[in-house]
Amino acid sequence: MASSSSTSSSSSSSREGDGSSYIECFKYSRRATLWSVVGRPDGGAGLAGERAVVGGWVRSSAVVRARRASGPTSPSRKPEVETTGLTCTEVLMTRVPLIRCIARLMAGGISAAASGGSARRPSVGTALVRINDGSCVADLQIVVDSSLCPLDQVTATGACVLVEGKIEQVEGTAPQHVVQMKVEKILHIGPVDSEKYPLPNAHLSSDLVRGYPHLAARTAAVASTARVRSEMIHAVHAFFQSNGFFHVNTPIITTTSAGNRSKMFRLIRIFSKSDNDSRITPEAVRAAIKEKTKQVEALKRSESNKEALQAAEQDLQRANALSRQLEQGGSTESSPDDFFHCPAYLTPGHTLHLETYACALSSVYTFSTAFQAESLDSDRSLAERWTVDVELAFAELEDAISCTEDCVKSLCSTVSKDCSDELKFLSSSQAGDTTNSRVESAVSSPWQRIKYTEAVNTLLQVTDKTFESKLELGMPLSHEHLSYLADDLYKKPVVIYEYPKQLKPFYARLKEDLKTVSTFDLVVPKVGIVACGAQKEERMDNLTSRIEESGLQIEKLEWYLDTRRHGTVKHSGFSIDMERLILFVTGLKDVRDVIPFYRTKGHAKC
Amino acid sequence: MASSSSTSSSSSSSREGDGSSYIECFKYSRRATLWSVVGRPDGGAGLAGERAVVGGWVRSSAVVRARRASGPTSPSRKPEVETTGLTCTEVLMTRVPLIRCIARLMAGGISAAASGGSARRPSVGTALVRINDGSCVADLQIVVDSSLCPLDQVTATGACVLVEGKIEQVEGTAPQHVVQMKVEKILHIGPVDSEKYPLPNAHLSSDLVRGYPHLAARTAAVASTARVRSEMIHAVHAFFQSNGFFHVNTPIITTTSAGNRSKMFRLIRIFSKSDNDSRITPEAVRAAIKEKTKQVEALKRSESNKEALQAAEQDLQRANALSRQLEQGGSTESSPDDFFHCPAYLTPGHTLHLETYACALSSVYTFSTAFQAESLDSDRSLAERWTVDVELAFAELEDAISCTEDCVKSLCSTVSKDCSDELKFLSSSQAGDTTNSRVESAVSSPWQRIKYTEAVNTLLQVTDKTFESKLELGMPLSHEHLSYLADDLYKKPVVIYEYPKQLKPFYARLKEDLKTVSTFDLVVPKVGIVACGAQKEERMDNLTSRIEESGLQIEKLEWYLDTRRHGTVKHSGFSIDMERLILFVTGLKDVRDVIPFYRTKGHAKC
């Protein structure tokens, strides 16, 4: 993939493939990646005549029936052709000479997809098989003669092949697929029963593909999205490292439940008699109880260490509770917090923990997962989201906003540059897609910045459109409001800042008017809010009163307040929603399609 | 930090600071990082006479009592000095001219730490304050005259200051701290009450510091470790990106509980009446029930869609259950799996999910968190660990081993190079530390590779040492065995491969002898196992029988088996334990000290 090479140190030069006439073998498996063959700027032309081992999964195939067993491989002789797994998109993407056959075939009225399955396959002839190993968008066509293996084994979509052969130039001057491989030796076949394979061709609905997240990456669309996502992640780390930020691994498990606990996942540990873990049999626990009782008595005799005694007694109580639960059928769900000795949850966000490190290392970020057990109705908001969280000490709101703008622009331009093939492919599968120009202008031109009050007043004066949701000062902006601003009015990313305090979290810094707080949301066209940030309240008094106003349990936040009690500092931060930003650059519509294994209410496959 | 500059694109040149005579202001806050001043190769000498704004937290301080109010700042005039927060290590690390004062002071028999607190501070004089902003190991000494502010505000360890002043050369030729700042203006002070600050000086036990993970990064040791960790993470992504791997975000939440469920955390969702979430009041649920009932009846009338009817009925049942729970005091702990409609857990590892993407994109990795509710006794194994997981399609065991070796060597050499100051500092705080030479030889020399059987036979013939734990062929190697091999016998990293199948997971590939499997462990001196890997079983029959042998529920793994059912391929992978690898490069002893917020049995602060 281009991106790999661009940053590659040792191997880059050889992976550029800009005309060098040998095929580099992938370092950690004895085969050449398709990227090092058809991914080259010259489409592989410079490799014609070279031998190589390549592997991949079958995307589509066609069989040229032979008049002679060693039948013709050049389609120009008007052979009879049967195809499977072909998609118009794929054909458009990869203009192989085979197109002429397909065109004729389509004209003949036979649906390509319909001919999936191996039953009607001829036993002799030549298979033209398009394989892909996920290293780039382009497939490689391999030509397999029926003398090498039963053709139906290598033609079924989804089958895995590892083959050795010779690269040869093919007619046609398409920028991609100027070469194919004449197979001389088959090293491995991972067969597929076409009747049973759930993703038999590329005419698949997103819903169907989503049902098989563990196989979905074999489709061109999901593979392209995965490469874009990977490149985006690399760009995140590149941006922050080159700007002197430190990556901090804030925890996934937290004991801080300051927010709405009904939106948090709580952790429990399960003891089940079916589990073959000797440590947690009732016998083991009884033994433990005996020992702990001895400890307590010993500590009682030597009245020296009160704390140790208390701890030991609590320990004993827990052990007794545990033993009771085991007797009652082996579940500790009645005491969920047994493991950490206090309730533990999945973190809904990383801001609070990251702030503590910003108040020591100054400029920090983390790329990690945030969790929310979202509302009963929603099935689109992810329960497990990836976010980039950033905190800057000695920084004010404007600093956070400009850092967000630089960061998002840098991510978008890197991905546009290094994943151009992927974005082209994804765009081609969405009719009339204008994502590319949207992203380009978002990167090149300055963004709109307006205060919340301006935004509301502007929207209240809108005459050419009526909004379903009510709006007045002090109310949140709904999705249709945001989309009007970004899509219709400004037609570019919009930063809305200075919100009424009741709309934002307790840690946002209160402004002099005592009504608004120093926060911002970044709204991008077609997607909505992709990032939000705030200058944090560094003044102890304001912070505590905001916590009380918000009806939160202040004792859960004592550790957080310590950063204000001791050596407090002005600091600001923001959080970027990775899935939504990937929607923006790819033009895809559903967050469930830009994460490998999506988790939403009622859905958590694998 | 050196590492930042090394990969920095635009800003790198200016951040190198190799003698340029202006101070670069950090892009996203209006101050210069200490790294851009004292972090320069010339220690800042080239900046003498420059003005700058710098900020940071007070590490230590000394007050020079004035005979005149505008007292002398040069220690050479034998002034009376009081110091706080100083540590021998710090003094050794940063040989400021102040040393002479300290030396005299120590001779005077007054403990530096003891003099913490502001009570005895003189009101007039000059404070020599060593501040650090986390951007590098070196502190900057700022000179504050009592005419600018009450000195006790800027001298308390932990206090935050933002000051403007002039860089001036100081006497002495130490490589670090050739400059200090004469403060002219104080822009911000975040005060500290020395009586209450929990980390008042640098003479602190690890146990004490661990108790305050949210403040710990203000100590030199934890800050250095955090920068090493950050650099290690950047090195991970750099290595895999430059070798053409794709980063895949495998899920944290999984519904696959094939392993020992008693070691997994299970997720529940809590409804509590205290939560002000209108959606989940009993009223709301009753309303939902009414509506769902209507749906069900409607679907029953039109007998068209059986599936939709079933779904609606299940939905209704869940709603009824929920309403019952709410009536019974607002907890759903009795039905933990309400959110995903099936039991959900925190993933114990990423291998299985990552394999599915390797069987499509060929070369993938992920840097993510793995969870285990570890045994009752252990308080050292982390419940939340960070791991690098890698999967390679078309690859065999040897490929995985050499990829592991290249990766670990690359990470170690990058960190040694870019974090030399941090490693020097951490090493200096451990008497007779030899980490550096260990890491160097691990990077430069080839590693030892032995089969499990060789390892056992070697250990059985050991005469110069008696092992506590019993050992014979087929038994696992204990920590003392591994440490004998890596520390005493080979004195280098050791790869032990081909284990008996009963010692390894079901997915390890069975060898021809039907007894051993293609797996390996990487053992490094002083730490133990830092990585393990395996060639995965790609043959459907072997895999299913191994699953049955292991007593696992095969129905939980149907999705995983799909990758073998359809287009199976030889593939291998490995997993690196980040915390243990950081122990190896830093020479630290406790995993709890190399992760920002550690989670172990009974401990989950913040």
Side-chain angles (χ1 to χ4, degrees), chain A residues 108-121:
Chain A
I110 309 162
S111 151
S115 72
S118 53
R120 299 167 47 231
R121 284 301 165 82

Side-chain angles (χ1 to χ4, degrees), chain B residues 167-352:
Chain B
I167 303 294
E168 54 184 29
Q169 201 118 15
V170 291
E171 309 151 358
T173 55
Q176 285 160 306
H177 287 82
V178 294
V179 296
Q180 64 184 14
M181 172 181 275
K182 180 89 177 68
V183 174
E184 294 165 349
K185 200 165 158 197
I186 292 185
L187 304 171
H188 161 79
I189 294 180
V192 154
D193 178 343
S194 301
E195 308 301 326
K196 297 201 179 123
Y197 190 58
L199 307 174
N201 60 63
H203 302 287
L204 303 167
S205 75
S206 304
D207 275 333
L208 175 67
V209 175
R210 268 181 225 127
Y212 300 92
H214 54 295
L215 299 172
R218 294 188 192 174
T219 67
V222 174
S224 296
T225 311
R227 286 189 296 270
V228 168
R229 187 182 173 100
S230 172
E231 188 56 28
M232 182 79 87
I233 293 166
H234 289 144
V236 166
H237 294 295
F239 175 84
F240 288 107
Q241 188 182 19
S242 66
N243 283 289
F245 285 73
F246 300 107
H247 190 289
V248 177
N249 288 132
T250 43
I252 300 290
I253 297 174
T254 179
T255 48
T256 305
S257 59
N260 182 339
R261 286 169 62 248
S262 73
K263 286 188 179 177
M264 294 173 84
F265 289 105
R266 184 168 174 178
L267 302 180
I268 61 174
R269 189 185 179 196
I270 295 167
F271 292 127
S272 138
K273 283 175 174 157
S274 70
D275 294 322
N276 47 11
D277 182 339
S278 62
R279 281 189 303 273
I280 53 138
T281 58
E283 299 67 34
V285 175
R286 273 195 291 276
I289 290 174
K290 228 179 233 155
E291 202 209 321
K292 291 180 199 299
T293 319
K294 279 201 201 114
Q295 287 176 5
V296 172
E297 283 156 0
L299 284 161
K300 275 184 181 158
R301 277 194 296 279
S302 71
E303 283 171 353
S304 58
N305 192 338
K306 286 252 174 299
E307 286 183 3
L309 177 59
Q310 283 179 0
E313 284 175 333
Q314 286 173 13
D315 219 25
L316 179 57
Q317 285 164 15
R318 275 193 296 274
N320 283 318
L322 175 54
S323 127
R324 276 194 301 278
Q325 289 143 15
L326 286 171
E327 310 303 343
Q328 297 158 10
S331 162
T332 59
E333 284 165 16
S334 50
S335 74
D337 45 6
D338 117 279
F339 189 82
F340 293 111
H341 302 175
C342 66
Y345 307 85
L346 291 190
T347 190
H350 296 271
T351 317
L352 303 187

Side-chain angles (χ1 to χ4, degrees), chain B residues 409-429:
Chain B
K409 284 182 170 179
S410 151
L411 301 189
C412 291
S413 61
T414 305
V415 170
S416 313
K417 201 171 94 285
D418 295 338
C419 297
S420 52
D421 290 348
E422 282 77 8
L423 295 175
K424 227 176 288 161
F425 174 78
L426 292 170
S427 168
S428 71
S429 56

Side-chain angles (χ1 to χ4, degrees), chain A residues 28 133 255 266 268 362 406 604, chain B residues 28 133 255 266 268 362 406 604:
Chain A
Y28 305 113
D133 65 357
T255 49
R266 183 167 175 179
I268 60 174
S362 297
D406 289 356
Chain B
Y28 304 113
D133 66 357
T255 48
R266 184 168 174 178
I268 61 174
S362 297
D406 290 356

Side-chain angles (χ1 to χ4, degrees), chain A residues 173-451:
Chain A
T173 56
Q176 284 160 309
H177 288 83
V178 295
V179 295
Q180 64 184 14
M181 173 181 275
K182 180 91 176 69
V183 175
E184 294 164 349
K185 200 164 160 201
I186 291 184
L187 304 171
H188 162 80
I189 294 181
V192 154
D193 178 344
S194 302
E195 308 302 324
K196 299 206 178 113
Y197 190 57
L199 307 173
N201 61 63
H203 303 287
L204 303 167
S205 75
S206 303
D207 275 333
L208 175 66
V209 175
R210 269 182 225 127
Y212 300 91
H214 55 295
L215 298 172
R218 294 189 192 172
T219 66
V222 174
S224 295
T225 312
R227 286 190 296 270
V228 168
R229 186 182 174 99
S230 173
E231 188 56 28
M232 182 80 87
I233 294 166
H234 288 144
V236 166
H237 294 295
F239 175 84
F240 288 107
Q241 188 183 20
S242 66
N243 283 289
F245 286 73
F246 300 106
H247 190 289
V248 176
N249 289 131
T250 44
I252 300 291
I253 297 175
T254 180
T255 49
T256 305
S257 59
N260 182 339
R261 285 168 64 248
S262 72
K263 286 187 178 177
M264 294 174 84
F265 289 105
R266 183 167 175 179
L267 302 180
I268 60 174
R269 189 184 177 196
I270 296 168
F271 292 127
S272 137
K273 284 177 171 155
S274 70
D275 294 322
N276 47 11
D277 182 339
S278 63
R279 280 189 304 275
I280 53 139
T281 58
E283 299 67 35
V285 176
R286 274 194 292 274
I289 291 175
K290 225 178 235 160
E291 204 207 321
K292 292 180 199 296
T293 321
K294 279 200 200 118
Q295 287 177 4
V296 172
E297 284 156 0
L299 284 161
K300 276 183 182 159
R301 278 194 296 277
S302 70
E303 284 170 352
S304 58
N305 191 337
K306 287 252 173 300
E307 286 183 2
L309 176 59
Q310 282 178 1
E313 284 175 332
Q314 286 173 12
D315 218 25
L316 179 57
Q317 285 164 15
R318 275 193 296 273
N320 283 317
L322 174 53
S323 132
R324 275 194 301 280
Q325 288 144 13
L326 286 171
E327 311 303 344
Q328 296 158 10
S331 162
T332 59
E333 283 165 18
S334 49
S335 76
D337 45 4
D338 121 278
F339 188 81
F340 293 111
H341 302 176
C342 65
Y345 308 84
L346 291 190
T347 190
H350 295 272
T351 317
L352 302 187
H353 291 86
L354 198 60
E355 276 182 62
T356 67
Y357 264 65
C359 294
L361 300 182
S362 297
S363 309
V364 294
Y365 78 104
T366 191
F367 174 63
S368 191
T369 340
F371 303 85
Q372 57 187 144
E374 246 309 331
S375 61
L376 288 160
D377 48 357
S378 159
D379 73 336
R380 286 303 167 93
S381 57
L382 296 172
E384 177 176 316
R385 313 176 297 122
W386 284 83
T387 62
V388 179
D389 291 86
V390 181
E391 285 296 330
L392 288 152
F394 307 103
E396 302 183 359
L397 186 68
E398 306 75 64
D399 302 306
I401 294 177
S402 50
C403 188
T404 309
E405 183 163 347
D406 289 356
C407 178
V408 169
K409 284 182 171 181
S410 150
L411 301 188
C412 291
S413 61
T414 305
V415 170
S416 312
K417 201 173 92 285
D418 294 338
C419 296
S420 51
D421 291 348
E422 282 77 8
L423 295 175
K424 226 175 287 158
F425 174 77
L426 292 170
S427 168
S428 71
S429 56
Q430 305 169 68
D433 178 68
T434 58
T435 309
N436 187 26
S437 60
R438 252 200 318 281
V439 174
E440 265 178 17
S441 78
V443 169
S444 53
S445 59
W447 294 353
Q448 189 67 39
R449 295 189 187 190
I450 51 168
K451 289 189 178 181

Side-chain angles (χ1 to χ4, degrees), chain A residues 28, chain B residues 232 235 239 401-417 438-449 492-493 495 522 524 530 574 576 581 584-585:
Chain A
Y28 305 113
Chain B
M232 182 79 87
F239 175 84
I401 294 177
S402 49
C403 187
T404 310
E405 183 163 346
D406 290 356
C407 178
V408 169
K409 284 182 170 179
S410 151
L411 301 189
C412 291
S413 61
T414 305
V415 170
S416 313
K417 201 171 94 285
R438 254 200 317 282
V439 174
E440 265 178 15
S441 78
V443 169
S444 53
S445 59
W447 294 354
Q448 188 68 37
R449 295 189 186 190
K492 60 164 77 166
V495 172
L522 167 60
V524 301
V530 296
F574 60 92
I576 301 175
L581 189 57
F584 178 63
V585 294

